[in-house]
Amino acid sequence: MAKRVLTTESGAPVADNQNSATAGVGGPILLQDQHLLEKLARFNRERIPERVVHARGSGAYGYFEVTDDVTGFTRADFLSEVGKRTETFIRFSTVADSLGGADAVRDPRGFALKFYTDEGNYDLVGNNTPVFFIKDPIKFPDFIHSQKRDPFTGKQEPDNVWDFWAHAPEATHQITWLMGDRGIPASYRHMNGYGSHTYQWTNAAGEAFFVKYHFKTNQGVRSLSADQASELVGKDANSHQTDLLQAIERGVNPSWTLHVQVMPAADAADYRFNPFDLTKVWPHSDYPLQRVGRLVLDRNPDNVFAEVEQAAFSPNNFVPGIGPSPDKMLQGRLFAYADAHRYRLGVNHTHLPVNAPRTAVVDNYGRDGVHATRNGSRHDKNYEPNSYAGPAQTDAALAAPLAIHGWTGTHEAPAHTKDDDFFQAGELFRLMSEDEKGRLVANIAGGLSQVTRDDVIEKNLAHFHAADADYGKRVEEAVRALHED
């Protein structure tokens, strides 16, 4: 086999990759050593700004296969027939810590899935919990600031974490999830994934439905206790990355079964609580799970940076038959995610292989910018409408229109009969066994007892009391006991 020739970025052969050019033997390095300067300059630019949230992540390729007919609810082509397969890429992540953080920590997990459909890429951006801490995106930057490193101390501060939660009673439900037994998944393979938000499906007849996605792990849910997690972090901070990589390399391909809850659009207005509130779940007794298909991961990325770190997921990447709902958090993310990628990766991040459509043809008037690879020919115009047979609109909406009415302004969500911040947290607590309740209380008290302000502690305790009297009593007693110690 012919020996491969090392070249510079411009393709010129490299004569010596071991020694820099110098002014004589032992002399200073010459500025004219183009290969050295290029290597150093490229090395300085190998990293891009890390994600503000979901920085630490792992990914894999796979496919989604339809197992059940859902054409009565959506006209999305990749869901159009039983047996149809669509290539996918998934990125799992922790939320709060930086790129160098550990995997086995108490934190929600991102569950971001890209479907490379024939009608364009469809991105579903969710978590391993069906709810979230807040329900309005205007609070999101403040929430994340409270959870990340303090500007002065440079570390996560319990005072900041619990102070924000004290002023966000709607977080009580998600806190109960996070501090419970599923707060630290044993691996990415052993956790469920959720779309979390409410989305809209539209069928061929134009009928609209609101849906929630549930990816149930076929490996079974497994989680770690706080002690088990601490031990694992000490052995392998990259434990979840290691597990996912090795499982797929061994051919033990993880899979999830997708179910959806389907709500006819007409039900939303009179439902007993706001169905677009991200801090709440829809009871399965109202809207049972309906099976859709199976997600299988069967290939590891060849390059983590190129394919995992440069992967860009945007919930505004819809396909015909799927669209947004009035979920405020979703509405905010429709802008924020795509804008984050424009900042981190550039306006042409969709040209990168991991983000580019596989079978759908991209044909638009976007031109230029950093790393542009699709600028067209001399005959292609960069404006529309035109007289040169350029691409034209279809006049076919992706999803059904959402009805709006009323006055513009900063409004609270419309009140429903069961719209409070605590009842679902209480229901979740009452579903737990005595052992689960004990661990939940211990986890909450362990963090809350570190808070230095009594008023912040009292405000948080009031939330747990409001969720369930026994819940509040146990947390209060546990915090008091830790303070006495």
Side-chain angles (χ1 to χ4, degrees):
M1 181 183 293
K3 189 175 181 180
R4 295 168 59 187
V5 175
L6 177 66
T7 73
T8 64
E9 295 290 335
S10 61
V14 173
D16 192 338
N17 195 42
Q18 314 305 318
N19 303 287
S20 302
T22 61
V25 178
I29 288 174
L30 296 175
L31 186 61
Q32 71 184 41
D33 190 341
Q34 184 261 351
H35 180 51
L36 169 66
L37 299 186
E38 184 177 79
K39 283 186 72 175
L40 294 178
R42 182 176 184 84
F43 180 75
N44 286 343
R45 292 161 176 80
E46 280 183 358
R47 295 296 173 261
I48 57 178
E50 71 174 42
R51 292 166 171 86
V52 177
V53 289
H54 298 279
R56 170 66 187 150
S58 302
Y61 292 95
Y63 63 86
F64 179 80
E65 181 177 7
V66 179
T67 57
D68 295 77
D69 182 10
V70 291
T71 56
F73 304 121
T74 179
R75 61 186 176 93
D77 180 71
F78 78 101
L79 300 175
S80 61
E81 57 182 298
V82 173
K84 185 162 189 172
R85 287 189 176 186
T86 300
E87 185 182 358
T88 61
F89 181 78
I90 195 167
R91 187 177 186 272
F92 304 106
S93 56
T94 53
V95 174
D97 212 343
S98 59
L99 187 58
D103 287 342
V105 294
R106 189 173 298 279
D107 198 18
R109 299 300 192 277
F111 194 98
L113 188 59
K114 188 181 295 290
F115 298 83
Y116 299 102
T117 87
D118 293 339
E119 297 181 300
N121 289 352
Y122 171 47
D123 290 353
L124 183 60
V125 182
N127 286 326
N128 71 325
T129 60
V131 293
F132 197 61
F133 298 94
I134 54 176
K135 49 187 158 185
D136 194 305
I138 203 166
K139 302 174 78 169
F140 187 75
D142 299 294
F143 164 64
I144 294 300
H145 287 162
S146 75
Q147 308 298 298
K148 292 184 78 70
R149 296 174 186 270
D150 182 87
F152 171 64
T153 67
K155 60 190 182 73
Q156 190 180 56
E157 293 292 347
D159 276 0
N160 298 351
V161 171
W162 289 95
D163 184 35
F164 182 89
W165 286 345
H167 293 87
E170 69 268 29
T172 308
H173 192 189
Q174 173 71 322
I175 293 169
T176 306
W177 271 88
L178 180 62
M179 298 298 176
D181 280 359
R182 295 192 181 187
I184 313 177
S187 78
Y188 290 131
R189 297 183 297 127
H190 294 93
M191 68 181 194
N192 293 335
Y194 301 89
S196 300
H197 297 288
T198 301
Y199 295 89
Q200 185 204 78
W201 277 5
T202 309
N203 65 17
E207 298 173 304
F209 304 86
F210 293 119
V211 300
K212 284 186 176 289
Y213 295 87
H214 301 249
F215 289 85
K216 300 292 188 178
T217 175
N218 294 325
Q219 291 71 238
V221 173
R222 286 179 48 203
S223 304
L224 302 173
S225 68
D227 290 341
Q228 289 172 325
S230 295
E231 182 179 353
L232 182 57
V233 167
K235 292 179 178 177
D236 182 5
N238 305 304
S239 57
H240 290 30
Q241 163 72 10
T242 301
D243 176 85
L244 182 66
L245 175 73
Q246 293 182 350
I248 295 175
E249 288 297 292
R250 296 195 312 268
V252 182
N253 298 329
S255 66
W256 288 257
T257 299
L258 171 61
H259 300 80
V260 293
Q261 291 178 281
V262 181
M263 174 189 288
D267 288 8
D270 298 323
Y271 195 52
R272 62 182 180 276
F273 58 84
N274 181 1
F276 311 115
D277 181 347
L278 185 55
T279 68
K280 295 182 175 64
V281 298
W282 298 352
H284 293 181
S285 56
D286 292 348
Y287 299 100
L289 295 180
Q290 302 188 47
R291 193 176 65 177
V292 180
R294 183 172 63 118
L295 170 68
V296 179
L297 304 182
D298 59 5
R299 179 165 69 88
N300 284 311
D302 291 324
N303 185 287
V304 171
F305 174 77
E307 299 165 88
V308 179
E309 287 313 300
Q310 291 195 132
F313 300 86
S314 300
N316 60 357
N317 286 343
F318 292 115
V319 292
I322 303 178
S325 79
D327 179 338
K328 279 188 171 183
M329 284 296 294
L330 173 60
Q331 294 283 328
R333 284 173 169 155
L334 296 181
F335 163 76
Y337 276 61
D339 192 56
H341 303 319
R342 294 184 194 104
Y343 163 68
R344 293 183 61 247
L345 302 169
V347 71
N348 292 308
H349 63 273
T350 54
H351 297 197
L352 296 169
V354 69
N355 299 321
R358 293 289 192 264
T359 54
V361 175
V362 177
D363 195 2
N364 57 41
Y365 296 93
R367 297 291 187 272
D368 305 331
V370 176
H371 301 149
T373 61
R374 296 194 303 261
N375 270 340
S377 73
R378 67 175 67 182
H379 306 294
D380 295 312
K381 303 303 178 184
N382 64 345
Y383 60 88
E384 196 279 335
N386 62 61
S387 304
Y388 295 86
Q393 65 196 44
T394 65
D395 292 324
L398 297 187
L402 297 173
I404 59 172
H405 63 277
W407 300 93
T408 61
T410 55
H411 305 290
E412 293 186 3
H416 295 238
T417 56
K418 276 285 208 174
D419 262 338
D420 73 67
D421 295 322
F422 307 111
F423 82 94
Q424 286 202 348
E427 288 181 338
L428 180 58
F429 175 79
R430 289 185 288 275
L431 284 173
M432 295 179 179
S433 67
E434 281 302 308
D435 287 345
E436 288 176 310
K437 289 177 180 177
R439 290 188 291 270
L440 168 68
V441 168
N443 290 332
I444 293 174
L448 191 53
S449 64
Q450 298 178 56
V451 174
T452 60
R453 291 186 50 154
D454 290 342
D455 60 325
V456 171
I457 294 175
E458 291 302 321
K459 285 178 182 176
N460 279 286
L461 290 176
H463 297 166
F464 300 121
H465 280 291
D468 182 274
D470 185 47
Y471 189 5
K473 178 183 177 184
R474 292 189 187 200
V475 174
E476 184 171 1
E477 289 176 348
V479 170
R480 186 183 302 119
L482 288 172
H483 275 173
E484 291 172 354
D485 290 343

